[in-house]
Amino acid sequence: MFGIIVALFMIGATYIYLMFSGALDFDNPDKMERSYQINRRTQGRKNKDILKALTMLLLANIIMAAAWYAHLRFAALPISIAILMSWALALPEYWLHVPANRKGHAYLTAVQLRVIQTIFTVAGFIIFTTVFFAQNMSFKDLISYLCLLAGAYLVFSPPIKINFKFRRRDK
Amino acid sequence: MDLQSLYQSMGYFMGVPLFLVCALVLSNVFMVIAWYAHLRHKQVGIRKIIFISWGIALFEYIFHVTGSRMAYGEVTLPQLKILQELISLCAFVIFARLYLKEKMHPQQAFGFVLVIASVVFIYNGV
C-alpha cells in the first residue's frame, strides 16, 4: 500500500511540475478577454495532447514492468517460453510508447520527455510489483529510488547554472 | 555451456552479479536502438516503426529475461530494477552522444555518481 501511495505521489508530482513549467495550463477560459480566447482553445488542445501522451506513457511503462518481471513469478517455465511471452507483452508496450513519444515531442523537449519516462518507469514498476508480487516497498527502496531519480534528472537536464557572484561592499 | 555454471564462474562486484550486468548491458544496447533510433527517421510511418522496434526488441528480451531469471532469488526485484535503470542511463547517454550528436557536460558526472550510489546502497546497505 505504501508503494502505491509513493507511486501516485511521483505521478502527481510530474503533473504539477508540468503545470509550473507552463506546458499544462488549466485556467478558466471564460474569464479571459475575447482576443485571448483563440489562444485558450489551442492551449486546451495542447493540454489534451499532453495528458493523452502522459497516460499512454504510464500505461506503456506498467506493461513494460509486466513484460520484464512477470515471468519471474513462474519459475517452472522454460526460459524460451518466458522470453516469447515477454516479447508478446512488449507489442502493446511499443504500440503505446512510440506514438506517445511522438505526440509528446510536439510540445515537450526531449529532456522533459526522458525525465518523465524515468519517473513513470519507476512508478509503473512500483505499481506492478505491489499488485502482482504483493510486495511491500521498504524505506530503503524508497531512498534509492529517489536517489536514482535525482541522478537521472542531473544526467538529462541541461547544465543548471548557479550564480556564485556575491555583491561586494565597496571599499 | 551451462548457464548456471557460467553465472557462478563470473562472480560478483560490490555485491552485484556480473552475469546480470553483462546480460543487462547487452539487452540495453538493443533497447536503446529500439526506442530511439527512429527519432532520426521522422518520415517513416508510425506503424512500420512500431513493428521494426518490436522486432529489435526480441533480442532485448532474450538477454533481459535470461539475466533476470538467473539472478532472481538472490537478487530482489527492486535491486533488478535499479541496476537496469543505471545501465539504461549509460546506454542512453552513449547513444545520444554517438547517434543523436548531443553534447555532454560535467553535470552528468554528478548525476551518475548519485545513480551509482543508489545501486551500491540497494545492493549492500549502508
Side-chain angles (χ1 to χ4, degrees), chain A residues 64-128:
Chain A
M64 189 177 79
W68 280 357
Y69 302 109
H71 66 90
L72 293 176
R73 220 179 118 173
F74 313 109
L77 226 59
I79 282 190
S80 53
I81 305 286
I83 289 172
L84 287 179
M85 272 175 56
S86 300
W87 189 47
L89 262 180
L91 180 60
E93 182 218 325
Y94 277 87
W95 205 271
L96 289 168
H97 203 282
V98 176
N101 268 331
R102 278 216 170 169
K103 206 186 270 280
H105 199 59
Y107 304 106
L108 304 172
T109 62
V111 171
Q112 280 176 323
L113 271 178
R114 184 62 221 205
V115 172
I116 292 168
Q117 156 68 25
T118 313
I119 297 171
F120 278 12
T121 191
V122 171
F125 171 80
I126 295 171
I127 291 174
F128 177 75

Short mmCIF file of all heavy atoms in Angstrom, two decimals, chain A residues 64-128:
data_model
loop_
_atom_site.label_atom_id
_atom_site.label_comp_id
_atom_site.label_asym_id
_atom_site.label_seq_id
_atom_site.Cartn_x
_atom_site.Cartn_y
_atom_site.Cartn_z
N MET A 64 5.40 -2.54 -19.56
CA MET A 64 6.81 -2.89 -19.66
C MET A 64 7.29 -3.60 -18.40
O MET A 64 8.03 -4.59 -18.48
CB MET A 64 7.64 -1.63 -19.90
CG MET A 64 9.07 -1.89 -20.22
SD MET A 64 9.92 -0.37 -20.55
CE MET A 64 10.20 0.21 -18.91
N ALA A 65 6.85 -3.10 -17.24
CA ALA A 65 7.22 -3.78 -15.99
C ALA A 65 6.68 -5.21 -16.00
O ALA A 65 7.37 -6.14 -15.57
CB ALA A 65 6.68 -3.00 -14.79
N ALA A 66 5.47 -5.38 -16.53
CA ALA A 66 4.89 -6.73 -16.61
C ALA A 66 5.74 -7.60 -17.53
O ALA A 66 6.05 -8.75 -17.23
CB ALA A 66 3.46 -6.66 -17.12
N ALA A 67 6.14 -7.04 -18.69
CA ALA A 67 6.90 -7.84 -19.65
C ALA A 67 8.26 -8.23 -19.08
O ALA A 67 8.76 -9.31 -19.34
CB ALA A 67 7.09 -7.05 -20.94
N TRP A 68 8.84 -7.34 -18.29
CA TRP A 68 10.18 -7.61 -17.78
C TRP A 68 10.18 -8.54 -16.58
O TRP A 68 11.11 -9.32 -16.41
CB TRP A 68 10.89 -6.30 -17.40
CG TRP A 68 11.45 -5.56 -18.56
CD1 TRP A 68 11.43 -5.97 -19.86
CD2 TRP A 68 12.12 -4.31 -18.54
NE1 TRP A 68 12.03 -5.03 -20.64
CE2 TRP A 68 12.46 -4.00 -19.86
CE3 TRP A 68 12.45 -3.41 -17.53
CZ2 TRP A 68 13.14 -2.84 -20.22
CZ3 TRP A 68 13.11 -2.25 -17.88
CH2 TRP A 68 13.45 -1.98 -19.21
N TYR A 69 9.16 -8.42 -15.72
CA TYR A 69 9.27 -9.10 -14.43
C TYR A 69 8.17 -10.10 -14.15
O TYR A 69 8.28 -10.85 -13.19
CB TYR A 69 9.34 -8.05 -13.31
CG TYR A 69 10.50 -7.12 -13.49
CD1 TYR A 69 10.33 -5.79 -13.84
CD2 TYR A 69 11.80 -7.60 -13.35
CE1 TYR A 69 11.42 -4.96 -14.05
CE2 TYR A 69 12.88 -6.77 -13.55
CZ TYR A 69 12.69 -5.45 -13.90
OH TYR A 69 13.75 -4.64 -14.11
N ALA A 70 7.10 -10.15 -14.96
CA ALA A 70 6.00 -11.07 -14.63
C ALA A 70 6.46 -12.52 -14.69
O ALA A 70 6.02 -13.35 -13.92
CB ALA A 70 4.83 -10.83 -15.57
N HIS A 71 7.40 -12.82 -15.61
CA HIS A 71 7.82 -14.22 -15.77
C HIS A 71 8.55 -14.75 -14.55
O HIS A 71 8.68 -15.96 -14.38
CB HIS A 71 8.70 -14.35 -17.01
CG HIS A 71 10.00 -13.63 -16.90
ND1 HIS A 71 11.13 -14.21 -16.40
CD2 HIS A 71 10.34 -12.34 -17.18
CE1 HIS A 71 12.11 -13.34 -16.41
NE2 HIS A 71 11.66 -12.18 -16.86
N LEU A 72 9.02 -13.84 -13.69
CA LEU A 72 9.77 -14.30 -12.52
C LEU A 72 8.89 -15.05 -11.53
O LEU A 72 9.37 -15.84 -10.74
CB LEU A 72 10.44 -13.11 -11.82
CG LEU A 72 11.53 -12.43 -12.64
CD1 LEU A 72 12.05 -11.22 -11.91
CD2 LEU A 72 12.66 -13.39 -12.90
N ARG A 73 7.57 -14.80 -11.60
CA ARG A 73 6.67 -15.49 -10.68
C ARG A 73 6.46 -16.93 -11.11
O ARG A 73 6.09 -17.77 -10.29
CB ARG A 73 5.33 -14.75 -10.62
CG ARG A 73 4.78 -14.70 -9.22
CD ARG A 73 3.49 -13.96 -9.17
NE ARG A 73 2.42 -14.84 -8.72
CZ ARG A 73 1.20 -14.42 -8.45
NH1 ARG A 73 0.89 -13.15 -8.62
NH2 ARG A 73 0.28 -15.25 -8.06
N PHE A 74 6.69 -17.22 -12.38
CA PHE A 74 6.51 -18.59 -12.87
C PHE A 74 7.88 -19.22 -13.07
O PHE A 74 8.40 -19.28 -14.18
CB PHE A 74 5.71 -18.59 -14.17
CG PHE A 74 4.48 -17.73 -14.10
CD1 PHE A 74 4.40 -16.54 -14.79
CD2 PHE A 74 3.41 -18.11 -13.30
CE1 PHE A 74 3.28 -15.74 -14.71
CE2 PHE A 74 2.29 -17.32 -13.21
CZ PHE A 74 2.22 -16.13 -13.91
N ALA A 75 8.46 -19.68 -11.97
CA ALA A 75 9.84 -20.15 -12.03
C ALA A 75 9.97 -21.47 -12.79
O ALA A 75 11.05 -21.80 -13.29
CB ALA A 75 10.39 -20.32 -10.61
N ALA A 76 8.86 -22.23 -12.91
CA ALA A 76 8.95 -23.54 -13.55
C ALA A 76 8.99 -23.43 -15.07
O ALA A 76 9.36 -24.39 -15.75
CB ALA A 76 7.77 -24.40 -13.12
N LEU A 77 8.60 -22.29 -15.60
CA LEU A 77 8.53 -22.12 -17.05
C LEU A 77 9.92 -22.20 -17.69
O LEU A 77 10.87 -21.66 -17.15
CB LEU A 77 7.94 -20.73 -17.33
CG LEU A 77 6.83 -20.59 -18.37
CD1 LEU A 77 5.65 -21.44 -17.97
CD2 LEU A 77 6.43 -19.14 -18.46
N PRO A 78 10.06 -22.88 -18.83
CA PRO A 78 11.36 -22.86 -19.52
C PRO A 78 11.68 -21.45 -20.02
O PRO A 78 10.77 -20.67 -20.31
CB PRO A 78 11.18 -23.81 -20.70
CG PRO A 78 9.81 -24.33 -20.63
CD PRO A 78 9.08 -23.73 -19.49
N ILE A 79 12.99 -21.16 -20.14
CA ILE A 79 13.40 -19.79 -20.47
C ILE A 79 12.88 -19.36 -21.83
O ILE A 79 12.44 -18.22 -22.01
CB ILE A 79 14.95 -19.70 -20.41
CG1 ILE A 79 15.40 -19.59 -18.96
CG2 ILE A 79 15.44 -18.48 -21.16
CD1 ILE A 79 16.84 -19.27 -18.80
N SER A 80 12.86 -20.27 -22.81
CA SER A 80 12.44 -19.88 -24.16
C SER A 80 10.98 -19.42 -24.16
O SER A 80 10.64 -18.41 -24.79
CB SER A 80 12.62 -21.04 -25.13
OG SER A 80 11.99 -22.18 -24.61
N ILE A 81 10.12 -20.14 -23.42
CA ILE A 81 8.71 -19.75 -23.36
C ILE A 81 8.58 -18.40 -22.65
O ILE A 81 7.81 -17.53 -23.08
CB ILE A 81 7.89 -20.81 -22.59
CG1 ILE A 81 8.08 -22.19 -23.21
CG2 ILE A 81 6.42 -20.44 -22.56
CD1 ILE A 81 7.37 -22.41 -24.49
N ALA A 82 9.36 -18.21 -21.60
CA ALA A 82 9.31 -16.95 -20.86
C ALA A 82 9.70 -15.78 -21.76
O ALA A 82 9.07 -14.73 -21.75
CB ALA A 82 10.24 -17.02 -19.65
N ILE A 83 10.75 -16.00 -22.59
CA ILE A 83 11.19 -14.94 -23.49
C ILE A 83 10.08 -14.60 -24.48
O ILE A 83 9.75 -13.41 -24.69
CB ILE A 83 12.46 -15.37 -24.25
CG1 ILE A 83 13.65 -15.42 -23.31
CG2 ILE A 83 12.75 -14.43 -25.40
CD1 ILE A 83 14.88 -16.02 -23.93
N LEU A 84 9.46 -15.61 -25.06
CA LEU A 84 8.42 -15.35 -26.06
C LEU A 84 7.21 -14.66 -25.43
O LEU A 84 6.64 -13.75 -26.03
CB LEU A 84 8.00 -16.65 -26.75
CG LEU A 84 9.05 -17.18 -27.73
CD1 LEU A 84 8.59 -18.47 -28.36
CD2 LEU A 84 9.34 -16.15 -28.81
N MET A 85 6.84 -15.06 -24.21
CA MET A 85 5.71 -14.41 -23.55
C MET A 85 6.01 -12.93 -23.28
O MET A 85 5.17 -12.06 -23.51
CB MET A 85 5.41 -15.11 -22.22
CG MET A 85 4.45 -16.28 -22.36
SD MET A 85 4.28 -17.13 -20.80
CE MET A 85 3.75 -15.81 -19.73
N SER A 86 7.23 -12.68 -22.80
CA SER A 86 7.60 -11.29 -22.52
C SER A 86 7.62 -10.47 -23.80
O SER A 86 7.17 -9.32 -23.83
CB SER A 86 8.98 -11.24 -21.88
OG SER A 86 8.98 -11.95 -20.70
N TRP A 87 8.12 -11.09 -24.85
CA TRP A 87 8.20 -10.37 -26.13
C TRP A 87 6.80 -10.04 -26.64
O TRP A 87 6.55 -8.97 -27.18
CB TRP A 87 8.97 -11.21 -27.14
CG TRP A 87 9.30 -10.50 -28.40
CD1 TRP A 87 9.82 -9.26 -28.52
CD2 TRP A 87 9.12 -11.00 -29.73
NE1 TRP A 87 9.98 -8.94 -29.85
CE2 TRP A 87 9.57 -10.00 -30.61
CE3 TRP A 87 8.63 -12.20 -30.26
CZ2 TRP A 87 9.53 -10.15 -31.99
CZ3 TRP A 87 8.62 -12.36 -31.63
CH2 TRP A 87 9.05 -11.34 -32.48
N ALA A 88 5.87 -10.98 -26.46
CA ALA A 88 4.49 -10.74 -26.90
C ALA A 88 3.88 -9.59 -26.10
O ALA A 88 3.16 -8.76 -26.66
CB ALA A 88 3.66 -12.01 -26.71
N LEU A 89 4.19 -9.52 -24.80
CA LEU A 89 3.69 -8.40 -23.99
C LEU A 89 4.29 -7.08 -24.45
O LEU A 89 3.70 -6.02 -24.25
CB LEU A 89 4.05 -8.62 -22.53
CG LEU A 89 2.99 -9.22 -21.62
CD1 LEU A 89 3.54 -9.36 -20.23
CD2 LEU A 89 1.77 -8.33 -21.60
N ALA A 90 5.47 -7.15 -25.07
CA ALA A 90 6.14 -5.91 -25.46
C ALA A 90 5.44 -5.23 -26.63
O ALA A 90 5.63 -4.03 -26.83
CB ALA A 90 7.58 -6.19 -25.82
N LEU A 91 4.64 -5.96 -27.39
CA LEU A 91 4.00 -5.32 -28.55
C LEU A 91 3.04 -4.21 -28.13
O LEU A 91 3.16 -3.08 -28.62
CB LEU A 91 3.29 -6.37 -29.42
CG LEU A 91 2.61 -5.78 -30.65
CD1 LEU A 91 3.59 -5.08 -31.55
CD2 LEU A 91 1.88 -6.86 -31.45
N PRO A 92 2.08 -4.46 -27.20
CA PRO A 92 1.25 -3.34 -26.75
C PRO A 92 2.07 -2.22 -26.13
O PRO A 92 1.70 -1.05 -26.24
CB PRO A 92 0.29 -3.98 -25.74
CG PRO A 92 0.82 -5.31 -25.46
CD PRO A 92 1.63 -5.73 -26.62
N GLU A 93 3.19 -2.58 -25.49
CA GLU A 93 4.03 -1.53 -24.91
C GLU A 93 4.54 -0.60 -26.01
O GLU A 93 4.42 0.61 -25.90
CB GLU A 93 5.21 -2.17 -24.18
CG GLU A 93 6.10 -1.15 -23.52
CD GLU A 93 7.55 -1.51 -23.60
OE1 GLU A 93 7.88 -2.70 -23.54
OE2 GLU A 93 8.37 -0.58 -23.74
N TYR A 94 5.09 -1.18 -27.08
CA TYR A 94 5.61 -0.33 -28.15
C TYR A 94 4.50 0.41 -28.85
O TYR A 94 4.68 1.54 -29.30
CB TYR A 94 6.40 -1.18 -29.14
CG TYR A 94 7.81 -1.43 -28.67
CD1 TYR A 94 8.10 -2.49 -27.84
CD2 TYR A 94 8.84 -0.56 -29.01
CE1 TYR A 94 9.37 -2.70 -27.38
CE2 TYR A 94 10.11 -0.76 -28.56
CZ TYR A 94 10.38 -1.83 -27.73
OH TYR A 94 11.63 -2.01 -27.26
N TRP A 95 3.32 -0.24 -28.93
CA TRP A 95 2.18 0.40 -29.57
C TRP A 95 1.81 1.69 -28.85
O TRP A 95 1.32 2.64 -29.45
CB TRP A 95 1.00 -0.58 -29.58
CG TRP A 95 0.04 -0.31 -30.67
CD1 TRP A 95 -1.04 0.52 -30.62
CD2 TRP A 95 0.09 -0.84 -32.00
NE1 TRP A 95 -1.65 0.53 -31.83
CE2 TRP A 95 -1.00 -0.29 -32.69
CE3 TRP A 95 0.93 -1.72 -32.66
CZ2 TRP A 95 -1.25 -0.60 -34.03
CZ3 TRP A 95 0.68 -2.03 -33.98
CH2 TRP A 95 -0.40 -1.48 -34.65
N LEU A 96 2.01 1.73 -27.53
CA LEU A 96 1.70 2.94 -26.77
C LEU A 96 2.90 3.87 -26.70
O LEU A 96 2.77 5.09 -26.74
CB LEU A 96 1.29 2.57 -25.35
CG LEU A 96 -0.06 1.89 -25.19
CD1 LEU A 96 -0.19 1.32 -23.80
CD2 LEU A 96 -1.17 2.89 -25.42
N HIS A 97 4.10 3.29 -26.59
CA HIS A 97 5.28 4.07 -26.27
C HIS A 97 5.71 4.98 -27.43
O HIS A 97 5.98 6.16 -27.23
CB HIS A 97 6.40 3.10 -25.90
CG HIS A 97 7.45 3.71 -25.06
ND1 HIS A 97 8.41 4.53 -25.58
CD2 HIS A 97 7.69 3.64 -23.74
CE1 HIS A 97 9.19 4.94 -24.60
NE2 HIS A 97 8.77 4.40 -23.48
N VAL A 98 5.77 4.40 -28.63
CA VAL A 98 6.28 5.17 -29.77
C VAL A 98 5.35 6.35 -30.11
O VAL A 98 5.83 7.49 -30.22
CB VAL A 98 6.50 4.23 -30.98
CG1 VAL A 98 6.91 5.00 -32.20
CG2 VAL A 98 7.55 3.19 -30.64
N PRO A 99 4.02 6.14 -30.25
CA PRO A 99 3.16 7.30 -30.53
C PRO A 99 3.15 8.31 -29.39
O PRO A 99 3.07 9.52 -29.65
CB PRO A 99 1.77 6.69 -30.70
CG PRO A 99 1.96 5.28 -30.92
CD PRO A 99 3.23 4.90 -30.24
N ALA A 100 3.28 7.84 -28.13
CA ALA A 100 3.28 8.79 -27.01
C ALA A 100 4.48 9.71 -27.11
O ALA A 100 4.36 10.92 -26.91
CB ALA A 100 3.30 8.03 -25.69
N ASN A 101 5.65 9.14 -27.45
CA ASN A 101 6.83 9.98 -27.57
C ASN A 101 6.71 10.96 -28.73
O ASN A 101 7.12 12.11 -28.63
CB ASN A 101 8.07 9.11 -27.75
CG ASN A 101 8.71 8.78 -26.43
OD1 ASN A 101 8.62 9.56 -25.50
ND2 ASN A 101 9.33 7.63 -26.35
N ARG A 102 6.10 10.52 -29.81
CA ARG A 102 5.93 11.43 -30.95
C ARG A 102 4.97 12.55 -30.62
O ARG A 102 5.20 13.70 -30.94
CB ARG A 102 5.39 10.64 -32.14
CG ARG A 102 6.47 9.93 -32.86
CD ARG A 102 6.18 9.92 -34.33
NE ARG A 102 7.32 9.44 -35.06
CZ ARG A 102 7.29 9.14 -36.33
NH1 ARG A 102 6.17 9.26 -37.01
NH2 ARG A 102 8.36 8.73 -36.95
N LYS A 103 3.86 12.19 -29.97
CA LYS A 103 2.85 13.18 -29.62
C LYS A 103 3.42 14.17 -28.61
O LYS A 103 3.25 15.37 -28.73
CB LYS A 103 1.64 12.46 -29.02
CG LYS A 103 0.33 13.20 -29.17
CD LYS A 103 -0.75 12.48 -28.42
CE LYS A 103 -1.48 11.43 -29.23
NZ LYS A 103 -2.50 11.97 -30.11
N GLY A 104 4.14 13.63 -27.61
CA GLY A 104 4.69 14.48 -26.58
C GLY A 104 5.79 15.39 -27.11
O GLY A 104 5.95 16.51 -26.66
N HIS A 105 6.54 14.90 -28.11
CA HIS A 105 7.67 15.65 -28.62
C HIS A 105 7.25 16.93 -29.32
O HIS A 105 8.05 17.83 -29.52
CB HIS A 105 8.49 14.78 -29.56
CG HIS A 105 9.88 15.28 -29.78
ND1 HIS A 105 10.78 15.44 -28.75
CD2 HIS A 105 10.53 15.67 -30.89
CE1 HIS A 105 11.91 15.92 -29.23
NE2 HIS A 105 11.79 16.06 -30.52
N ALA A 106 5.95 17.03 -29.69
CA ALA A 106 5.46 18.26 -30.33
C ALA A 106 5.44 19.41 -29.32
O ALA A 106 5.57 20.56 -29.72
CB ALA A 106 4.07 18.02 -30.90
N TYR A 107 5.26 19.11 -28.02
CA TYR A 107 5.11 20.18 -27.03
C TYR A 107 6.21 20.18 -25.99
O TYR A 107 6.49 21.21 -25.38
CB TYR A 107 3.76 20.04 -26.32
CG TYR A 107 2.60 20.03 -27.25
CD1 TYR A 107 1.91 18.86 -27.52
CD2 TYR A 107 2.19 21.19 -27.89
CE1 TYR A 107 0.84 18.83 -28.37
CE2 TYR A 107 1.13 21.19 -28.76
CZ TYR A 107 0.45 20.00 -29.00
OH TYR A 107 -0.59 19.98 -29.85
N LEU A 108 6.78 19.00 -25.70
CA LEU A 108 7.77 18.92 -24.63
C LEU A 108 9.15 18.70 -25.24
O LEU A 108 9.26 18.16 -26.35
CB LEU A 108 7.45 17.75 -23.69
CG LEU A 108 6.06 17.77 -23.07
CD1 LEU A 108 5.80 16.48 -22.34
CD2 LEU A 108 5.94 18.93 -22.12
N THR A 109 10.18 19.09 -24.50
CA THR A 109 11.53 18.85 -25.01
C THR A 109 11.90 17.39 -24.76
O THR A 109 11.27 16.70 -23.97
CB THR A 109 12.54 19.75 -24.30
OG1 THR A 109 12.53 19.42 -22.91
CG2 THR A 109 12.19 21.20 -24.46
N ALA A 110 12.95 16.95 -25.46
CA ALA A 110 13.40 15.56 -25.31
C ALA A 110 13.83 15.29 -23.87
O ALA A 110 13.60 14.21 -23.34
CB ALA A 110 14.54 15.27 -26.26
N VAL A 111 14.44 16.33 -23.24
CA VAL A 111 14.88 16.17 -21.85
C VAL A 111 13.68 15.93 -20.94
O VAL A 111 13.66 14.99 -20.13
CB VAL A 111 15.64 17.43 -21.40
CG1 VAL A 111 15.91 17.38 -19.92
CG2 VAL A 111 16.92 17.57 -22.17
N GLN A 112 12.65 16.78 -21.10
CA GLN A 112 11.46 16.62 -20.27
C GLN A 112 10.85 15.24 -20.47
O GLN A 112 10.49 14.55 -19.52
CB GLN A 112 10.43 17.69 -20.64
CG GLN A 112 10.69 19.03 -20.02
CD GLN A 112 9.72 20.07 -20.49
OE1 GLN A 112 9.31 20.08 -21.64
NE2 GLN A 112 9.35 20.97 -19.60
N LEU A 113 10.76 14.81 -21.74
CA LEU A 113 10.19 13.50 -22.03
C LEU A 113 10.97 12.39 -21.36
O LEU A 113 10.41 11.45 -20.82
CB LEU A 113 10.18 13.27 -23.54
CG LEU A 113 8.96 13.74 -24.28
CD1 LEU A 113 9.13 13.47 -25.75
CD2 LEU A 113 7.73 13.02 -23.79
N ARG A 114 12.29 12.52 -21.40
CA ARG A 114 13.12 11.45 -20.87
C ARG A 114 13.02 11.41 -19.34
O ARG A 114 13.00 10.34 -18.75
CB ARG A 114 14.55 11.68 -21.35
CG ARG A 114 15.54 10.62 -21.00
CD ARG A 114 15.22 9.29 -21.59
NE ARG A 114 15.49 8.30 -20.58
CZ ARG A 114 15.79 7.03 -20.78
NH1 ARG A 114 15.82 6.56 -22.00
NH2 ARG A 114 16.02 6.23 -19.80
N VAL A 115 12.95 12.60 -18.71
CA VAL A 115 12.81 12.62 -17.25
C VAL A 115 11.45 12.03 -16.86
O VAL A 115 11.35 11.21 -15.94
CB VAL A 115 12.96 14.05 -16.70
CG1 VAL A 115 12.61 14.11 -15.24
CG2 VAL A 115 14.38 14.53 -16.89
N ILE A 116 10.40 12.43 -17.59
CA ILE A 116 9.07 11.88 -17.32
C ILE A 116 9.08 10.37 -17.49
O ILE A 116 8.52 9.62 -16.69
CB ILE A 116 8.03 12.52 -18.25
CG1 ILE A 116 7.85 13.99 -17.90
CG2 ILE A 116 6.70 11.82 -18.15
CD1 ILE A 116 7.08 14.75 -18.95
N GLN A 117 9.77 9.91 -18.53
CA GLN A 117 9.85 8.47 -18.79
C GLN A 117 10.52 7.75 -17.61
O GLN A 117 10.04 6.71 -17.16
CB GLN A 117 10.62 8.25 -20.10
CG GLN A 117 11.29 6.93 -20.26
CD GLN A 117 10.30 5.80 -20.38
OE1 GLN A 117 9.18 6.01 -20.79
NE2 GLN A 117 10.72 4.61 -20.01
N THR A 118 11.58 8.36 -17.06
CA THR A 118 12.26 7.71 -15.94
C THR A 118 11.36 7.67 -14.70
O THR A 118 11.30 6.64 -14.02
CB THR A 118 13.56 8.46 -15.60
OG1 THR A 118 14.27 8.69 -16.81
CG2 THR A 118 14.43 7.65 -14.68
N ILE A 119 10.67 8.79 -14.42
CA ILE A 119 9.78 8.80 -13.26
C ILE A 119 8.69 7.75 -13.43
O ILE A 119 8.39 6.97 -12.52
CB ILE A 119 9.15 10.19 -13.08
CG1 ILE A 119 10.23 11.23 -12.78
CG2 ILE A 119 8.15 10.17 -11.94
CD1 ILE A 119 9.71 12.63 -12.80
N PHE A 120 8.11 7.70 -14.64
CA PHE A 120 7.00 6.78 -14.86
C PHE A 120 7.46 5.33 -14.86
O PHE A 120 6.70 4.45 -14.49
CB PHE A 120 6.30 7.11 -16.18
CG PHE A 120 5.31 8.24 -16.06
CD1 PHE A 120 5.27 9.03 -14.94
CD2 PHE A 120 4.42 8.50 -17.08
CE1 PHE A 120 4.38 10.06 -14.82
CE2 PHE A 120 3.51 9.53 -16.97
CZ PHE A 120 3.49 10.32 -15.84
N THR A 121 8.70 5.08 -15.29
CA THR A 121 9.14 3.69 -15.28
C THR A 121 9.29 3.20 -13.85
O THR A 121 8.92 2.07 -13.53
CB THR A 121 10.41 3.48 -16.12
OG1 THR A 121 10.62 2.10 -16.27
CG2 THR A 121 11.63 4.06 -15.53
N VAL A 122 9.77 4.08 -12.97
CA VAL A 122 9.88 3.68 -11.56
C VAL A 122 8.47 3.53 -10.96
O VAL A 122 8.17 2.53 -10.28
CB VAL A 122 10.71 4.71 -10.78
CG1 VAL A 122 10.64 4.43 -9.30
CG2 VAL A 122 12.16 4.64 -11.23
N ALA A 123 7.59 4.51 -11.24
CA ALA A 123 6.24 4.44 -10.68
C ALA A 123 5.49 3.21 -11.20
O ALA A 123 4.83 2.51 -10.42
CB ALA A 123 5.46 5.71 -11.03
N GLY A 124 5.62 2.94 -12.49
CA GLY A 124 4.94 1.77 -13.06
C GLY A 124 5.46 0.48 -12.47
O GLY A 124 4.69 -0.43 -12.17
N PHE A 125 6.77 0.44 -12.26
CA PHE A 125 7.37 -0.75 -11.65
C PHE A 125 6.84 -0.96 -10.23
O PHE A 125 6.49 -2.08 -9.84
CB PHE A 125 8.89 -0.60 -11.63
CG PHE A 125 9.59 -1.66 -10.83
CD1 PHE A 125 9.81 -2.90 -11.36
CD2 PHE A 125 10.02 -1.40 -9.55
CE1 PHE A 125 10.44 -3.88 -10.62
CE2 PHE A 125 10.66 -2.37 -8.81
CZ PHE A 125 10.87 -3.61 -9.36
N ILE A 126 6.76 0.14 -9.46
CA ILE A 126 6.28 0.01 -8.08
C ILE A 126 4.83 -0.46 -8.08
O ILE A 126 4.46 -1.38 -7.33
CB ILE A 126 6.41 1.36 -7.33
CG1 ILE A 126 7.87 1.74 -7.18
CG2 ILE A 126 5.78 1.26 -5.97
CD1 ILE A 126 8.07 3.13 -6.67
N ILE A 127 4.00 0.14 -8.95
CA ILE A 127 2.59 -0.25 -9.00
C ILE A 127 2.48 -1.73 -9.38
O ILE A 127 1.78 -2.51 -8.73
CB ILE A 127 1.83 0.62 -10.01
CG1 ILE A 127 1.71 2.05 -9.50
CG2 ILE A 127 0.43 0.06 -10.26
CD1 ILE A 127 1.11 3.00 -10.49
N PHE A 128 3.23 -2.14 -10.40
CA PHE A 128 3.12 -3.52 -10.87
C PHE A 128 3.57 -4.52 -9.81
O PHE A 128 2.89 -5.51 -9.55
CB PHE A 128 3.93 -3.72 -12.15
CG PHE A 128 3.90 -5.12 -12.63
CD1 PHE A 128 2.77 -5.63 -13.24
CD2 PHE A 128 4.97 -5.96 -12.44
CE1 PHE A 128 2.72 -6.94 -13.65
CE2 PHE A 128 4.93 -7.28 -12.85
CZ PHE A 128 3.79 -7.76 -13.46
#
